[in-house]
Amino acid sequence: MDRSRFFLCIILIALAEAVIFGAALIAGYDSLAEVSFYIALLLMFVCRHRVKGVLWDERLARLDEQVALKTLRVALFLMLFFGVGFVVSGSLLQLQRAVDDGFFLLSLSGGIILLYLIFWILAMKPYWGGGGDE
């Protein structure tokens, strides 16, 4: 499979997944929506491994890392900002639902930070213990 067919395959999988996922949620079949998501990921993985040639070069990989890191920073900032805002405003207005939503956003952002640190440690592990300082 060449690059253009790969991108067409990914677009078709994403469109089919969006339709199936939305229809399953509207109909009330939450488990079907979840299973369809995992099947779509599996299909994308299979398409990726059938590609002959290079999809990404080193420059695009670096750019992809920078974009992912900036997206993570913006998402964490927004979750922390709205989480603190919900907790404070919900406490002042005595709205338990807003306080619960705020604590959920704060715990979610804490989990993402923890996951980021775990992945960072796993990525840096091969470079540890290589010898003393010279």
Side-chain angles (χ1 to χ4, degrees):
M1 177 184 308
D2 61 351
R3 289 175 60 162
S4 61
R5 292 178 86 190
F6 168 73
F7 289 117
L8 179 64
C9 179
I10 295 297
I11 289 171
L12 291 176
I13 291 171
L15 288 174
E17 170 56 22
V19 169
I20 293 170
F21 191 84
L25 286 180
I26 289 171
Y29 298 112
D30 296 339
S31 58
L32 177 64
E34 185 176 354
V35 169
S36 71
F37 175 75
Y38 293 126
I39 290 172
L41 286 179
L42 180 67
L43 289 174
M44 288 182 187
F45 180 76
V46 169
C47 283
R48 169 63 181 99
H49 282 285
R50 294 190 65 197
V51 174
K52 292 181 173 71
V54 177
L55 278 178
W56 300 100
D57 63 356
E58 189 174 330
R59 292 174 297 168
L60 288 176
R62 286 186 192 160
L63 181 65
D64 191 39
E65 290 173 8
Q66 290 174 357
V67 168
L69 187 60
K70 287 186 183 201
T71 303
L72 177 68
R73 287 179 180 163
V74 168
L76 283 175
F77 172 76
L78 289 174
M79 281 193 285
L80 290 171
F81 179 77
F82 284 114
V84 169
F86 283 170
V87 169
V88 170
S89 63
S91 296
L92 292 175
L93 298 174
Q94 297 177 354
L95 300 172
Q96 188 60 37
R97 171 80 187 229
V99 173
D100 292 342
D101 290 346
F103 280 128
F104 173 74
L105 285 174
L106 291 175
S107 63
L108 187 65
S109 61
I112 290 173
I113 291 170
L114 181 65
L115 188 64
Y116 174 78
L117 290 175
I118 290 171
F119 284 145
W120 185 82
I121 289 170
L122 290 175
M124 293 301 292
K125 196 171 186 176
Y127 303 108
W128 291 345
D133 292 334
E134 295 178 21

